[in-house]
Each structure stands twice: as C-alpha cells, then as structure tokens.
Amino acid sequence: MKPNKIKVGYRDIDVKYSQPQFTTDKLTDCFGQYDNRLGLIEVQQDLEGQKMINTLLHEIGHAIVDISGLNKLGAPLEDDDDEEIVVHQITNYFMGVCTDNPWFLDYIKDNIKPKQNKNKK
C-alpha cells in the first residue's frame, strides 16, 4: 500500500502517484516533485522498491527544507541547486544506511516513542 498523505512539520502533504506527461510536466528528468503551494508530493506511479522509497524520501526532504525555511532568502539552501545537492546526498546516504543495516528501521520503530514506565500511575 502506497501512502496518500504524510505529515511534515505542521503540514499534511498529499502524495499522488501519476504518469508523467513529458511534454508538459516538470517530471521529464526526475521521478517526483514537491509542490509547496499545493502541499503535494507527486511520484511516478510505476516506480517500485528502492526507487519508490528513494524518490518519496527525496521529495519529503524538499518538503522539510521548504517548511523549515532552509531555502528562504538568506538561508543556507536559498539556491535551488544547493538545495537539490543537499537533499539528493542526504537521501542517498540515508537509503544506504537503511539498506546496509536492515535492523535499523525496526530499531527506530521500536524506540521512536517513549516507553511507558510501568510503575507510574
């Protein structure tokens, strides 16, 4: 099951899977895009496995940069090329960490929320 929404910071971002229209869409040289104004991540629907996950993480990275203000005037990722390089590298290395350490995602899931102290009432 592919997600249709993801919360990033304060925003609920819709996730849409579609075929690119190579003559009109910005998807001609990439697998996805993040649109701040629409609150939308768009991903090519025929992607699977690592390409799907990498693309979704990449676009979430752009959403994080935008929502956190890191790409605003005077911010470290103000230049679109700088943002793309940083998001691309962090996504690819994070994918590598998860691929090379398959236990890591389970570890995160098991420890992401504070454990309830059984002695507290």
Side-chain angles (χ1 to χ4, degrees), residues 12-30:
D12 291 320
I13 305 294
D14 292 320
V15 180
K16 179 180 172 186
Y17 304 89
S18 60
Q19 286 293 346
Q21 300 298 320
F22 289 105
T23 57
T24 59
D25 287 353
K26 295 178 185 176
L27 293 173
T28 56
D29 62 349
C30 60

Side-chain angles (χ1 to χ4, degrees), residues 37-55:
R37 293 178 189 257
L38 296 177
L40 175 68
I41 290 174
E42 195 168 5
V43 178
Q44 289 186 20
Q45 71 183 15
D46 58 345
L47 296 179
E48 296 178 351
Q50 287 184 348
K51 279 190 178 183
M52 171 60 76
I53 299 302
N54 186 278
T55 300

Side-chain angles (χ1 to χ4, degrees), residues 8-9 34 57 59-70:
V8 178
Y34 167 68
L57 280 175
E59 298 312 326
I60 290 167
H62 283 297
I64 291 168
V65 166
D66 181 68
I67 292 166
S68 68
L70 287 169

Side-chain angles (χ1 to χ4, degrees), residues 9 14 18 28-34 48 67 71 90 94-95 107-108 113 116 120:
D14 292 320
S18 60
T28 56
D29 62 349
C30 60
F31 295 124
Q33 65 182 356
Y34 167 68
E48 296 178 351
I67 292 166
N71 60 352
I90 289 174
F94 186 70
M95 284 288 296
Y107 181 78
I108 290 173
K113 292 185 180 180
Q116 296 292 329
K120 285 188 176 181

